[in-house]
Amino acid sequence: MTQEADTLKELADQKYKYGFVSDIESELAPKGLSEETVRYISAKKNEPDWMLDWRLAAFRRWKTMTEPKWARVHYPPIDFQDAYYYAAPKVKKPAPASLDEVDPELIKTYEKLGIPLSEQKMLTGVAVDAVFDSVSVATTFKSKLEEVGVIFCPISEALAKHPDLVRKYLGTVVPVADNFYATLNSAVFSDGSFVYIPEGVRCPMELSTYFRINASNTGQFERTIIIADKGAYVSYLEGCTAPMRDENQLHAAVVELVALEGAEIKYSTVQNWYPGDETGKGGIYNFVTKRGDCRGANSKISWTQVETGSSITWKYPSCILRGENSVGEFYSIAIANHFQQADTGTKMIHLGKNTKSRIISKGISAGSAQNTYRGLVRVHHKAEGARNFTQCDSLLLGSKCGAHTVPYIESRNPSAILEHEATTSKISDDQLFYCQSRGIPAEEAVALIVNGFCKEVLQQLPMEFAVEAQKLVGISLEGSVG
Amino acid sequence: MLEIKDLYASVQGKEILKGLSLKIGAGEVHAIMGPNGAGKSTTSYALAGREGYDVTSGSVTFKGEDLLALKAEERAAKGLFLAFQYPLEIPGVSNLTFLKTAVNSQARLRGEADLDAVQFLKFVRTTAKTLNVSEDMLKRPLNVGFSGGEKKRNEVLQMAMLKPSLAILDETDSGLDIDALKVVAEGVNALRAPDRSFLVITHYQRLLDYIVPDFVHVLAGGRIVRSGDKSLALLLEEQGYEALTEKAA
């Protein structure tokens, strides 16, 4: 046992590869949170009056709210006045018209991250909207998307160019007063992506947003809205990293998805925010509200997430299955190492007839980490013939970490069929030795075994990201065996 | 090839091997036979480098090098292979992926380049065919739901792919019916070569009808108490361990 513990400890001592800081001057909003901050952000973005009013209403509401305490995560109180709510890289000129005008330092940062920003490199067919701290830097492949009528741009641009469309959907899936962090986001969100796929259009490429928190003491509050009109299809991927910093930084995003009749949205996340060091110092607080609304009949929303970073993750990408025969899916890999805490899962709200949902959750805990799956499956009394299948598997590395499964099931319709399966396992010494005796070092063996454990979820990722995610799984667990 | 000198090893503080000595030349097939608790499995684990099998004194030289100074994976890369009595299951990792990872990992440890993917596939498929390992078995998760015979054939497949200089077969015959045993033995025999040695560890003489050893050793009380040619195995079968080990003592 002790050998195993040592081995695991060694593997848990990984280095965070994305911990560099870019030397870019930032333009910051005044520190702290007040109506002035909200007005500042709105003014910076040249927003219409209704948007400012919406933000201010959210801010007033937020002041009356308290932080949720029900999750199995522990952290000292956050001083919301001790952070910057807006940080933009200082641009020499007004908005860049083409990639050539983007600060070369920024481009270098993205190259370090492996983001192919220049269109020439975009052989993978991925359009990227890169968000650096609070501002979208460049959106690639815009013209190609415009040809088919797809709107893919920073939300600030959407507010300027398509205000009615934004107004029609903003806050309709995650209401302003939904929860503490969502309300905070509503008041101060500074960027994020806006996607609209017109009726009957199958988006010709994967859409992707890359988030990076660079400035210190800043929070990142992006808001992403994706609308798939009738019969439309889109696959969207977001990736996240942040530099290593001793203090904790807050990330409170809101994502709203709307799928109309017969539409399908596939939303994938590879979250690799800085997790803090081996002693639990620093790291991102990732308090995120993601929700999809299957508004039309026969629509489908599928969430896939690979959560390896952040010191605390509090995240429940959910589906409201309103339309008849609509389908919600949640595929999740959550890895927690060292002192990371993850409380993540999903909510599947069955409102319509014959709605189906599927939940596959793979939690991996190493070091002294705590990993909780928290999920709700609710069947409304009108949801005749609803079906859910849930599978929660936990894998433990070492004896100091914890895995917790908290499933809530509420059924108000007797015709519903709900299934729940859960397993907890450990990587055995026997398995490790077997791999070693074949020439595979322990660390690689762990990566191999964990990847096997996560296979069902990894398969859901778009091809070009599956390979990256597989590597990330290995890297996240480096140092947890020896 | 391999020289074990006066080896003492303990497991969880209990001394199991007490002065084991054995010398295996290139191309030779040695068999170690012994009753339960004689130290058969400990011998194979200690040689393969399993943690928790602590060598307290003695030496093991493998191809002129101090084997005991190497980690398990380095021993494998050096050319040592252990066919398990109970091969492990790894859910979600296909047999093929596992084989490829092992082959490439060993190459890397030796400072060589990864194997060409096309050549690798070709090589796996031909080898698998001779061992009666189906395409389906290659695609299934490693050893998951494999029958006893399938698992052992799969061990021989791994052996063929990894091309070891010394292969240790740890009670490979356990849990096999006679037909499965024949297939496995044929697979092993096909791998016999002037530069490849085998150490066959077994409880029963039966396996040695099919894999015919050059030398047979009797292990009892943690050391070799008697050595001879293949006729010793037959003698053991006839008289039993007790009679022989008593005589030796």
Side-chain angles (χ1 to χ4, degrees), chain A residues 3 430-431 434 438-439 455, chain B residues 50 82 89 105 155 158:
Chain A
Q3 278 143 0
D430 289 336
Q431 280 175 319
Y434 189 61
R438 299 301 180 251
K455 197 179 182 184
Chain B
R50 176 162 196 170
L82 170 63
E89 300 182 358
S105 183
E155 291 291 285
Q158 291 179 19

Side-chain angles (χ1 to χ4, degrees), chain A residues 285-334:
Chain A
Y285 289 168
N286 191 33
F287 297 144
V288 169
T289 305
K290 291 183 171 178
R291 198 171 299 155
D293 189 355
C294 286
R295 219 163 267 187
N298 304 309
S299 56
K300 180 177 175 184
I301 288 178
S302 179
W303 297 99
T304 304
Q305 60 172 18
V306 179
E307 302 280 324
T308 65
S310 296
S311 60
I312 298 177
T313 297
W314 179 96
K315 183 184 167 190
Y316 315 90
S318 306
C319 296
I320 299 166
L321 303 167
R322 202 183 300 274
E324 283 185 16
N325 305 314
S326 59
V327 177
E329 290 176 338
F330 174 73
Y331 297 96
S332 169
I333 297 171

